[in-house]
Amino acid sequence: MAQIIGYVGTSHVPAIGTAIARNLQEQPYWKPFFDGFPKVRDWLGAVRPDVVVVFYNDHGLNFFLDKLPTFAVGAAAEYANADEGWGLPNFGTYRGYPRLSWHIIEQLLQDEFDPVSCQEMLVDHAFSIPLQLLWPEGIGGIRTVPIAINTVQHPLPSARRCLKLGQSVGRAIASWPEKLKVLILGTGGLSHQLDGQRAGFINKPFDLLCLDRLVQDPEALIRYSGAELVELAGTQGVEILNWIAARGALGGDLRQVQRNYHIPISNTAAALLALENHCG
Ligand code: DHB
Ligand code: FE
């Protein structure tokens, strides 16, 4: 009875949070990026999701290199935002949905995933900034389920595994007995590299290919190994795995609501993709 009403993929660059706090949306540097969002907000205002499932990666706030799960699912009643060191404003607390989280976790175990279940979980900029971009006036009563994927410390989960993770989450939502409208969100990317000799690396042709494939043929993206994704998208560009996982949850006919691509925001090729899902 639950329905996935759509998909949003967006970058989560921390500087976006600072731009929001300082009201810089209309400045020439920021305008081409922020201008992508009103159309998506209008659409969300019309379809009105009850829940957002957020595929993202933690950047050393809730998990650090000493203990870093490949997949972790939040199962808390609420999730507090905190800043792992960017000087960002605090975006507050997000309402959870423990019953739905456990339902998703059970499906994942049935499908032979072994996620870490988190009854306490802090959420960083990769969670808060996308939600702030989609609901600048506040997310209100909309509930959230955070799903964190390790895109930080190698070995990373494969793109194939991430797509399957999303498919399993899609099955969990499809078997939820109550009426519920679910938005699937994937955050991060697209191409960027923050450190090393290739710092500042951006690969526009690969990003545009990824956006096309995400809409029409996400299976085409599972051919890339972790090393190939680093080569093609940069060390942090592997955050595309969050977008791929999120896309796996959608199974219906898709209509593109919005696509925006702008280089650069900070060191990142910033992208936005919104898809409406029509099930059966
Ligand atoms: C930047 C991008 C990210 O995805 C991130 O997590 C941190 C910083 C950047 O481009 O500055
Ligand atoms: Fe990031």
Side-chain angles (χ1 to χ4, degrees), residues 12-14 57 59 84 86 124-126 151 187-189 192 194 236 239 242 268:
H12 62 218
V13 179
N57 60 295
H59 296 72
E84 76 273 22
W86 299 98
D124 74 7
H125 69 273
T151 68
T187 90
H192 63 301
L194 302 179
Q236 281 72 36
E239 290 174 349
N242 303 326
T268 297

